[in-house]
Amino acid sequence: MLLELSNLAAGYGTKTVIRDVSFALEPGQILALLGHNGAGKTTSLRAIMGLIEARGGKISFAGGPLGRMTVADRVARGLRLLPEGRGIFATLTVAENLEIVGARNAAESGPTFGIADVLRLFPALAERMGLRAGSLSGGQQQMLAMALALLGSPRCLLLDEPSIGLAPNLVERLFGQLAEVCRAREVGAVLVEQNVAAALAVADRVVIMNNGQIVFDATPEEARKADIWSYF
């Protein structure tokens, strides 16, 4: 098992936002984490990444507990977060974005993805290396954010609303590239999405959250047959 959450609880200040959250992800799988705004999806990703401290339960990754491990150590072990809002360096060029993150991850042994690899995956970026990242279209910025997340040796991608602001054809292309990477390189992904149809098209597993707890966990086929729309 690549990533496993057991009865995870987390929150902010005095408020516990998620409780008893449990799910598992195998290498190469895409798990769609769905639910309405405020259901606890982003909080779950932040707890996995170590941006907020777990208040209960356990997170295991690559065969060992994460415990109080720092964000930097989680990144070194292969966890990557692509936050909502993309998290690129908008004032720097595409090349500078890739070089900075590539240099940061250069110490990783046997990198799976170098700059040349991500440019082959996202050829539109190769044509715009000298442009400021903030001047790119929304789709191109999301490609850059995905490329930055892949540099080095990622083992699990945590993707927070990657389709926001993108045209349907770009969402289909981006998610297709995500699925290609995950299957070919055995990279796991937790995909938080409001675009339910797009998420179901690429997911191997569907988990739905409501009011901070998991209320549905099944295959995409079972999700399509079930009455899941009341959760959105």
Side-chain angles (χ1 to χ4, degrees), residues 3-215:
L3 175 68
E4 188 170 10
L5 277 60
S6 301
N7 304 118
L8 180 66
Y12 309 93
T14 60
K15 184 178 181 181
T16 298
V17 176
I18 61 171
R19 63 193 66 80
D20 296 324
V21 173
S22 300
F23 62 74
L25 176 72
E26 296 181 3
Q29 277 193 334
I30 298 175
L31 184 148
L33 187 58
L34 310 177
H36 61 75
N37 288 331
K41 307 182 301 297
T42 295
T43 299
S44 298
L45 295 190
R46 289 173 61 82
I48 295 168
M49 200 68 223
L51 295 171
I52 59 174
E53 188 174 341
R55 298 182 175 181
K58 181 180 177 182
I59 307 172
S60 296
F61 179 65
L66 293 180
R68 295 180 178 272
M69 188 179 294
T70 67
V71 174
D73 286 340
R74 295 178 196 221
V75 170
R77 289 190 66 178
L79 273 173
R80 298 287 191 275
L81 174 65
L82 196 162
E84 184 180 351
R86 301 181 180 127
I88 62 175
F89 301 104
T91 60
L92 302 182
T93 66
V94 171
E96 289 167 337
N97 270 265
L98 294 171
E99 288 163 3
I100 287 172
V101 176
R104 182 191 69 191
N105 295 341
E108 296 181 3
S109 60
T112 305
F113 292 95
I115 292 176
D117 297 307
V118 297
L119 290 180
R120 280 193 292 271
L121 191 59
F122 303 108
L125 297 179
E127 302 167 2
R128 294 164 173 82
M129 293 289 277
L131 299 181
R132 285 192 309 107
S135 71
L136 301 178
S137 69
Q140 292 160 2
Q141 288 186 26
Q142 198 62 284
M143 290 177 191
L144 177 57
M146 187 80 77
L148 296 180
L150 288 171
L151 282 172
S153 300
R155 303 181 71 177
C156 183
L157 303 175
L158 308 176
L159 310 171
D160 197 359
E161 305 284 5
S163 76
I164 283 182
L166 302 186
N169 63 321
L170 284 176
V171 173
E172 183 178 358
R173 187 189 315 168
L174 188 68
F175 282 15
Q177 289 164 321
L178 171 64
E180 176 187 335
V181 165
C182 290
R183 272 62 167 186
R185 308 291 185 101
E186 291 197 326
V187 174
V190 180
L191 174 63
V192 166
E193 256 303 324
Q194 291 293 333
N195 188 331
V196 176
L200 291 179
V202 297
D204 301 290
R205 197 78 188 169
V206 178
V207 171
I208 300 176
M209 297 188 70
N210 188 43
N211 296 324
Q213 295 182 297
I214 290 178
V215 293

